[in-house]
Amino acid sequence: MEDDSALAPAVESILATARERAAEGRTGRVDVDPRDLRVAFDRAEADGRVPVIAEVKPTSPTTEGTREDDPVALAEGMVAGGAAALSVLTEPVHFGGSVDTLERVREAVDVPVLRKDFVVAESQLDAVESDVVLLIARFVGDDLPDLLAAARDRGFQVLVEVHDRAELAAAVDAGATFVGVNNRDLVRLEVDLETFESVAPDAPDDVTLVAESGIGSPADVRRMRAAGADALLVGSAIMDGDVTANTRALTCAGTDAIEETDTETPT
């Protein structure tokens, strides 16, 4: 495990909570028959939509307030807006998520569902079935290859999150095929879209790249796509307001209609 002394206090708290939850252990083992994330992205492209993973995120340390809407209704609205896949928070302390919410959402929709949590131990993989799980390279350190293998052994597809070129190299060496580049750093929690632009050129052609964080407008979508993003993961910009309209604004960012209103942002 990498040294976490340089992490922001909020991130240190998230990581400490994840380790406590991992220590609780689980009984039983999940066996997943996943919906194919790459196929979902390809289907969106074929339909003229930008592949977007829309995130059901009740709250977070970097946003104000909590959204109390039924998460299933939110998820269905995002799919109606063209989301290729969904991300559902299952971290309960800092993000208001739960495995029950993920189960309800996955039952209600027919697109792949990513479990957004902070997995640091194999036991956490058995908490709930999902189509994709997230592994954060900085959090798991040298355990990444083993956790990646353990997740795949259960049937999960895996999105490995990185923040710099060194973490990208570690993810590729571990065998990651889906890599998310998070534009939010873990020290100051600042967002910079140049992060993706600096990391993406080092990714092999056979890696599916997902741009994460800081994407709030059609212009941002086009910027990330021009830099090599195969898909985008968007939470706050979709959750803030009408989730269907916000999702549609981003998934349609490549159309002439959106290009003519380049200054519009989801509300």
Side-chain angles (χ1 to χ4, degrees):
M1 190 81 61
E2 291 190 9
D3 174 35
D4 52 292
S5 59
L7 298 175
V11 179
E12 289 181 348
S13 178
I14 291 169
L15 184 53
T17 301
R19 289 170 177 163
E20 291 171 3
R21 291 164 61 208
E24 295 171 359
R26 297 284 174 182
T27 58
R29 173 187 166 99
V30 299
D31 183 15
V32 181
D33 181 15
R35 301 161 187 168
D36 194 306
L37 185 62
R38 183 67 250 186
V39 168
F41 290 166
D42 290 344
R43 184 178 298 120
E45 296 269 18
D47 290 343
R49 291 177 283 125
V50 174
V52 169
I53 305 173
E55 188 159 87
V56 180
K57 181 169 66 173
T59 188
S60 83
T62 57
T63 58
E64 295 182 1
T66 300
R67 184 144 185 181
E68 303 289 350
D69 306 58
D70 178 11
V72 171
L74 292 172
E76 291 174 334
M78 294 170 183
V79 173
L86 298 175
S87 170
V88 177
L89 268 295
T90 59
E91 200 281 343
V93 178
H94 301 84
F95 293 86
S98 73
V99 295
D100 291 339
T101 294
L102 188 147
E103 288 177 334
R104 291 179 57 221
V105 167
R106 189 166 181 251
E107 184 177 349
V109 301
D110 60 1
V111 300
V113 176
L114 163 71
R115 178 188 172 199
K116 182 75 170 290
D117 208 324
F118 304 90
V119 173
V120 294
E122 183 176 347
S123 61
Q124 291 174 279
L125 295 170
D126 297 315
V128 65
E129 291 186 22
S130 63
D131 303 292
V132 191
V133 293
L134 178 73
L135 294 177
I136 300 175
R138 176 72 182 274
F139 281 11
V140 302
D142 293 340
D143 294 331
L144 178 58
D146 289 341
L147 284 174
L148 183 61
R152 287 175 172 165
D153 189 51
R154 289 162 168 80
F156 292 112
Q157 298 159 101
V158 182
L159 177 65
V160 178
E161 180 176 297
V162 306
H163 297 81
D164 56 34
R165 294 186 185 94
E167 291 178 0
L168 171 64
V172 171
D173 288 345
T177 55
F178 292 96
V179 173
V181 180
N182 196 331
N183 290 308
R184 187 185 303 279
D185 73 73
L186 297 180
V187 179
R188 296 173 302 278
L189 297 182
E190 295 174 353
V191 173
D192 186 349
L193 296 184
E194 289 185 5
T195 301
F196 183 89
E197 292 169 330
S198 68
V199 173
D202 286 358
D205 291 340
D206 58 352
V207 167
T208 298
L209 282 179
V210 180
E212 305 175 8
S213 296
I215 300 151
S217 70
D220 292 338
V221 171
R222 286 192 291 278
R223 178 176 171 180
M224 293 293 91
R225 293 280 276 172
D230 298 295
L232 307 106
L233 193 156
V234 184
S236 299
I238 288 177
M239 288 291 289
D240 184 15
D242 183 329
V243 298
T244 301
N246 291 346
T247 304
R248 185 174 293 117
L250 301 181
T251 60
C252 294
T255 67
D256 292 340
I258 294 295
E259 287 173 0
E260 291 171 1
T261 56
D262 199 40
T263 58
E264 292 184 8
T265 60
T267 59

